[in-house]
Amino acid sequence: MIRISTIFIAICMVLVAASLGLVLYSVAGISGSESAIVALTALTFLILYNAVSMRLRDRTDVGSQIADLSRGTADLARQVAEFGRRLAAVEGRLVSANSTGADRIQAVVGEIGELGVLVKQLAVSVASHDDILSAGVPLPAPAIKPPQKELPFPTEGTNVIGAMVAPSVVVTEKPAGARSEAQVLTAVRAAVEENRLDIYLQPMVTLPQRKVRFYEAVTRLRDENDQILTADDFIGIAEAAGLIGRIDHMVMLRSVQVLRRLMVRNKDVGIFCNMAAATLGNPTTFGQCLDFLEANRALAPSFVLEFKQATFRNPGPTESEHLAALAQRGYRFSIDHVTDLRIEPRELADRGVRFIKVPATLLLDPRQSSTSDIHPSDLSDLLGRFGIDLIAERIEGERAVVDLLDYDVRFGQGFLFAPPRPLRPEGASATGGASPNKPQESSHGPSNGPGKPASTGGPAIDPPRAASGNAALARRAAGPG
């Protein structure tokens, strides 16, 4: 629709052109035809000028409208990007919730399976008792045994470790008594020279499934009277005497042999081997260890070297260079003897640390939330972002396991699951249990308590299946038969 202003301008231009022609005709004395031509020419120029001015004004208006449209489009793009980010966050939360739910369902299914096995065992035991009662045979008197804490062996991995530990022989760590440092040093030196070094294995299990995932190689020395010297008894003296390097090399050699035997039955198993800071800082001793580790580089994914927290907190240039050499060859590190939760996960991950062992009492100590930079319940997630797994060690009670599950701890170690067990000699039978066509010994027979091997010289028997949570309560309620 033509605007009124346009019509008014057109009328004005016609009047101006007509007035110009009339003035030329009446005043200048020009003829009528010439005056009309001049008037038409003036009208044409006025029309052209108006058209050009309107085009320029329209171009300015269109430019401002395009700029406004561009700004609106940019705002719309930002809003779409924000909605996409929020949608991705919601999808991530849904995936995490589904994964957590699946893990919990799997744990419940495993618990139900254990309860089913226990119920079957209880039914068989009750049926055998009924048969004995109906036959009129008196029941044997139960053996009186001192109260001991139950040490159930983990469910998965029993066949592996059962073929390597010596459950049919009671191994007691006799107290070495009050000895002077000179006597301990003499015993340590003799044990190293005569190769009286034993490797004990203590499992690390997944939580809450309690499946064996790793083993820690624990060192024990024997003196001339076969009395056991634990690591706490001889480590400090051996370091002062310069013997710790030879001990670490011997332990490393034995641990690699054990790992090869374990991997025959389970490729996913791993071993933690301790290395002292003195060995790491001694170029000569470390060179021997590095040559041995280089020769067994294929086992690096399953062989974890363990150091104290103080070693990583204040490493010297020599220690840093040696750690880098180990990491370059594919070996992973673990940290134990943690005394506080002031941990820098990014720096540790860059150095090759993949596991951190923290005592359960330290994790569950309420005072740590005020003295550390992060709350203990968030430590597992923080370490997981940098590829480090948290292992709770020295677990001795079921209550601690329940509290640690609230902290999202995925691995545990302690006497609750299994104590360190000695290795079976190389030439011993590796059956790890009774033959299928031979009847297994009943649990009515004499024993040395839950989790303890029998002292008789009979055939090796697999350690009992582990029972977790409600399954453990059901086993205790079922009694010895």
Side-chain angles (χ1 to χ4, degrees), residues 237-382:
I237 297 175
E239 287 182 351
L243 296 174
I244 193 64
R246 294 182 60 185
I247 294 176
D248 282 347
H249 190 268
M250 294 170 64
V251 172
M252 197 175 297
L253 174 64
R254 299 279 185 88
S255 298
V256 168
Q257 294 174 349
V258 171
L259 179 60
R260 291 186 182 277
R261 294 169 60 188
L262 288 172
M263 293 184 69
V264 172
R265 298 171 174 83
N266 186 0
K267 296 294 184 182
D268 297 330
V269 75
I271 276 192
F272 283 53
C273 180
N274 290 272
M275 180 180 288
T279 304
L280 186 65
N282 189 326
T284 303
T285 307
F286 179 79
Q288 297 175 357
C289 295
L290 186 63
D291 292 340
F292 176 74
L293 293 175
E294 176 70 26
N296 294 275
R297 194 170 182 176
L299 300 176
S302 301
F303 194 78
V304 182
L305 296 171
E306 193 164 79
F307 301 92
K308 293 182 179 180
Q309 185 185 31
T311 304
F312 274 88
R313 180 158 288 179
N314 299 308
T318 303
E319 288 82 356
S320 299
E321 181 181 355
H322 291 170
L323 287 173
L326 292 172
Q328 184 179 5
R329 287 160 176 78
Y331 287 93
R332 302 178 296 171
F333 306 137
S334 172
I335 294 179
D336 66 349
H337 289 79
V338 175
T339 57
D340 58 70
L341 299 183
R342 292 192 296 273
I343 297 172
E344 295 295 336
R346 185 186 301 275
E347 178 182 353
L348 296 178
D350 293 340
R351 290 182 178 273
V353 176
R354 294 297 177 265
F355 303 94
I356 294 181
K357 287 184 179 181
V358 180
T361 54
L362 184 63
L363 282 175
L364 301 177
D365 188 357
R367 294 174 295 182
Q368 290 299 321
S369 58
S370 59
T371 58
S372 61
D373 299 333
I374 185 174
H375 194 276
S377 61
D378 301 326
L379 182 60
S380 179
D381 291 336
L382 175 64

Side-chain angles (χ1 to χ4, degrees), residues 66-81:
I66 291 175
D68 294 340
L69 182 61
S70 299
R71 286 192 293 271
T73 304
D75 293 338
L76 182 60
R78 282 194 294 270
Q79 293 177 3
V80 170

Side-chain angles (χ1 to χ4, degrees), residues 164-242:
M164 301 184 63
V165 299
S168 59
V169 179
V170 174
V171 179
T172 59
E173 296 184 4
K174 302 177 183 178
R179 295 188 183 183
S180 63
E181 290 188 3
Q183 292 175 335
V184 175
L185 177 58
T186 302
V188 171
R189 195 184 302 275
V192 172
E193 295 294 338
E194 299 177 12
N195 198 22
R196 291 198 300 267
L197 184 145
D198 297 331
I199 296 295
Y200 287 48
L201 294 184
Q202 185 174 23
M204 289 171 245
V205 302
T206 60
L207 297 178
Q209 297 86 359
R210 306 195 185 192
K211 297 179 181 178
V212 176
R213 183 63 181 86
F214 304 101
Y215 293 98
E216 180 178 1
V218 183
T219 310
R220 298 286 186 267
L221 296 181
R222 287 179 289 108
D223 62 7
E224 62 277 2
N225 298 323
D226 281 341
Q227 290 184 335
I228 302 298
L229 293 175
T230 63
D232 295 336
D233 297 330
F234 67 82
I235 286 294
I237 297 175
E239 287 182 351

